[in-house]
Each structure stands twice: as structure tokens, then as C-alpha cells.
Amino acid sequence: MNSDLVVVGSGFYGLTIAERCARELGLRVLVIDRRSHIGGNAYSEAEASTGIEVHRYGAHLFHTSNERVWDYVTRFTAFTDYQHRVYTNVGGEVFPMPINLGTVNQFFRAAHGPEAARALVAEQAAELAGTEVSNLEEKAISLIGRPLYEAFIKGYTAKQWQTDPRELPASIIARLPVRYTYNNRYFNDTYEGLPVDGYTAWLERMADHPRIEVRLDTDFFDTTQPVNKAAVVGQVPVVYTGPVDRYFDNAEGELSWRTLDFEEEVLDVGDFQGTSVMNYGDEDVPYTRIHEFRHFHPERDYPKDRTVIMREYSRFAETGDEPYYPVNTATDRERVLAYRELAKGEKDVHFGGRLGTYQYLDMHMAIGAALSAYDNTLTPLFRAGARLG
Ligand code: FDA
């Protein structure tokens, strides 16, 4: 094998490691991915009939307050000044999200100032004062009161988890922030925007280096491929960003995930919903949200008479489904600890990324974690001529 490092997975984690190691350490890096495209879940492509950029694995909004990550990503792409805002359609009305003064006043048909709204929500949240909260519903009521919970959290959560919120653990929600201003910007980060030329152009620029080879349609566990786990581990250092349980043949049991189903439609209207993401809170609407991709790039010259929408449905993942969000039950947490112990024994393999660590990571977190792993694990070991540990 004429590579110094094999990276399994061409998502942001894998590509950041590959780019740093090739450019800064002069290593020959082979990146493999079992999919037929680069970029992991951040991949996007133009819908064929309209040219509208569609995020294939759900809407991806870039935001960060991490200066190092911002400095790094802006080497590969410029960003638009897009600011994300979300609305929710519930009970035949549309409200701004996250819950803010506008939402509260619209919902209660009131004109409260911040203090009056705060007092109202506190009074409603006091319903369960003095009782031990034992499930998600009670926790949410104790945070924002029953009326807001029933309108904005109950149906949406039940659909996300296919489970009655009274049967979900309280631990799923730590906080339910209510903003007592009219600010409905979704993210609070210093930097926010979308890549000017799209995600795939950005991802391709990261991989565009003479010492990086990307091999697609190559599954690390397919022994008919020349580069596979049995052939590579122990021969050359590996950065593995696939599912950690799969790496160990599910020896400690399968980790549980939620997955999403996407239903894409091209409509003969110039604008379907007037915004990029509309949540649907009613339980009798089967999808959780609709994305309308043209609104991510108002600066582009998209067709005026056609639009692309994508309905999103949420469910528990079964074997073979794409893993999206860790469920993180107590059993999962025990299993993750057991896998971490096993991983320590894999002397020349570094586990990273959202699948390799069983964590939800935003893009900036995956990139930041990869930059840290590059500094703290890969650089010292390659400089010392040693293997990964
Ligand atoms: P990622 O999953 O992207 O890449 C892993 C790669 O490994 C995949 O390409 C996979 O095919 C490959 N692989 C797995 N097993 C393999 C095997 N056996 N052999 C070879 N290759 C294998 N973040 C954000 O900042 N803003 C946002 O708005 C969103 N939105 C969003 C929506 C949805 C629905 C999800 C699920 C996630 C987001 N994210 C997000 C998070 C974002 O997708 C995440 O940060 C990155 O995907 C993380 O990159 P990784 O490289 O860790 O994993």
C-alpha cells in the first residue's frame, strides 16, 4: 500500500484530517467512502430540472463562534450572509420559532412586554412545582407551562420520536429556552452563512490536493475491495469515521439511532412557503417539516416559476437505515463506553466524527474536533514516526 494514512469516510471530519495531514505533514492520504459521492451528510447537489441546490441529507446551515474553525473553513469557501429563521405551522396558524416574545404574544393574543411575558410563562410553569418530573412531558411543562408545551413541543416531539412524550425520558430536554425579545434568529453564533458555491464545491476543494486520493463506492468492510479493514489495520494508520459498533462487528450490541425519510417534490410555483424551513407541530400531519431550498440562496438566479420542496419524516432507524441522530438510551451509553474500551485496544486506529464517536456533531464541531485530533494525536505521532494510539 503506497499511502501513509487511510481515512474511512469523506465527511467533514475525514476531509479535515486528510487535508491537514497531506498539506502540513506531507503524507499520502487515501480517503475511502462507501457512498458514491464525497462529503458525508453535508453533500448537496443541483436538482436536475431546476438547478436548485438540494441538501441530500437534510438542511445544513453553517454557523460557528469558533475562530479557528472559521479561519480554517474560509480557506475553502466564501459564505453568503444567510441567516436561518424557522417557523412552525400548528393549529392552522404559523408562529415564529424558537419560542420568543412574538410567539408568546401571538399565541396568547396579547401584547405583553418581556417582563409580563416572563411572569406569565413562570406562572404556567409552576403547575408542577414541588413534584418530581418523571418524563419529557412533565419536564417541558415545568420549563414553559402546559399551553406552550401542548402547542409547540408535544406533537412535534411525538412525531420526532414516534413515542408519546409521557413515555420519553425527561433527560432528552435539558433546557427549553424562551426568548423574551422578538429576535427569531435561529443561531446565536458569531459567524453564520451558506457556502457561496454550495457544499459540494467546498468539500471538493478540501480534497483537492495532489497527495489526497479519494476512492468512492468503497466499503471498509467489503473484503473484495483492496482497501478494507482486514487488509489495512495494522499495516497503515487509519482514521475511522464510520459507525463504531460496525467496526467491532456489533460485539457489544447495536447502538440505536433515529433516521429520516425525505420526500422531494418539484412544484410549478415560484414560491411554495415563503421561507426555507417550516415545522409542522400537529400530530395528524405525518411529516415534521418542509424544506424549500430556493430560500437558502435568494442571491442566486433560480427559475421564477418552479421550486423544490422536501418533506421530512422521522423514525427509529432499523438495520440498513442511515443513522442520523443518536437515541442515547442508558443501554446505548453503556455500549458506547464498552466500544471506547475496545477502541483503545486498536493501536493504530483513531475513531472520530459523529458515527465513530456516537455523538450528534454540528459541522463546525466535527471540523473543530478533527483539527484537535490533528494537533494532539496525528501530528505528534507522525512526527515521532510512531503509530496512532
Ligand atoms: P458524516 O456522516 O458526514 O461522514 C461519515 C462518512 O463515512 C460518510 O460519508 C459515510 O458514507 C462514510 N462511511 C461510513 N461507514 C463507512 C464504511 N464502512 N466504509 C467507508 N465509508 C464509510 N450540522 C450543522 O452544522 N448545521 C446543520 O444545519 C446540520 N444539519 C443536519 C441535519 C441532519 C438531518 C443531520 C443528520 C445532520 C446535520 N448536521 C448539521 C450535522 C452534520 O451532518 C455533521 O456535522 C457532519 O455530517 C459530520 O461529519 P462527519 O464526517 O463526522 O460524518
Side-chain angles (χ1 to χ4, degrees), residues 205-222:
R205 278 182 215 124
M206 290 178 75
D208 183 17
H209 189 280
R211 282 189 290 273
I212 298 178
E213 182 193 342
V214 179
R215 227 175 265 176
L216 300 173
D217 298 306
T218 303
D219 191 316
F220 193 49
F221 303 103
D222 178 356

Side-chain angles (χ1 to χ4, degrees), residues 110-289:
H112 295 308
E115 284 319 309
R118 201 184 292 272
L120 173 69
V121 172
E123 185 192 316
Q124 293 178 343
E127 178 188 327
L128 297 178
T131 60
E132 184 96 359
V133 297
S134 60
N135 59 51
L136 188 148
E137 175 162 303
E138 290 174 3
K139 178 79 179 279
I141 291 172
S142 76
L143 292 168
I144 60 169
R146 190 178 293 274
L148 291 175
Y149 160 73
E150 287 188 345
F152 298 112
I153 310 295
K154 188 179 177 184
Y156 194 80
T157 307
K159 287 195 290 187
Q160 267 187 319
W161 292 93
Q162 296 176 288
T163 307
D164 186 318
R166 286 170 297 193
E167 283 157 31
L168 288 168
S171 59
I172 289 181
I173 43 170
R175 309 177 314 126
L176 271 180
V178 174
R179 291 187 192 160
Y180 294 100
T181 67
Y182 289 93
N183 173 14
N184 72 326
R185 264 188 81 170
Y186 202 77
F187 301 114
N188 290 317
D189 281 310
T190 317
Y191 304 107
E192 178 179 352
L194 290 171
V196 168
D197 316 310
Y199 279 98
T200 298
W202 168 11
L203 292 151
E204 279 171 352
R205 278 182 215 124
M206 290 178 75
D208 183 17
H209 189 280
R211 282 189 290 273
I212 298 178
E213 182 193 342
V214 179
R215 227 175 265 176
L216 300 173
D217 298 306
T218 303
D219 191 316
F220 193 49
F221 303 103
D222 178 356
T223 49
T224 66
Q225 304 271 3
V227 178
N228 66 70
K229 183 184 171 196
V232 165
V233 171
Q235 305 301 314
V236 60
V238 172
V239 171
Y240 175 80
T241 75
V244 62
D245 48 359
R246 175 71 187 87
Y247 182 95
F248 294 106
D249 279 328
N250 300 322
E252 302 291 341
E254 277 189 53
L255 297 168
S256 53
W257 293 84
R258 280 192 299 124
T259 192
L260 301 174
D261 296 314
F262 297 109
E263 191 181 86
E264 184 179 313
E265 206 179 334
V266 179
L267 303 174
D268 287 331
V269 291
D271 192 347
F272 170 72
Q273 62 185 16
T275 193
S276 48
V277 178
M278 180 70 69
N279 289 353
Y280 282 81
D282 294 323
E283 271 188 81
D284 57 356
V285 177
Y287 38 86
T288 50
R289 42 187 184 169

Side-chain angles (χ1 to χ4, degrees), residues 13 33-34 40-41 59-61 219-220 354 360-363:
Y13 193 96
D33 204 298
R34 66 187 178 90
N41 280 6
H60 276 67
L61 298 317
D219 191 316
F220 193 49
R354 61 181 202 97
Y360 177 80
L361 298 175
D362 269 328
M363 292 177 279

Side-chain angles (χ1 to χ4, degrees), residues 317-335:
E318 290 164 21
T319 306
D321 285 329
E322 284 294 342
Y324 280 130
Y325 299 105
V327 175
N328 228 346
T329 61
T331 308
D332 289 324
R333 286 195 291 275
E334 276 169 31
R335 289 177 179 171

Side-chain angles (χ1 to χ4, degrees), residues 23-74:
R23 194 175 305 275
E24 299 296 326
L25 303 181
L27 302 179
R28 292 161 306 167
V29 185
L30 175 62
V31 181
I32 64 165
D33 204 298
R34 66 187 178 90
R35 290 179 177 161
S36 54
H37 61 73
I38 197 175
N41 280 6
Y43 173 75
S44 70
E45 64 187 346
E47 190 283 325
S49 69
T50 58
I52 293 174
E53 181 183 349
V54 171
H55 302 174
R56 274 288 151 234
Y57 302 91
H60 276 67
L61 298 317
F62 188 80
H63 56 98
T64 188
S65 296
N66 182 324
E67 294 290 339
R68 185 179 184 202
V69 168
W70 182 248
D71 179 54
Y72 180 68
V73 300
T74 48

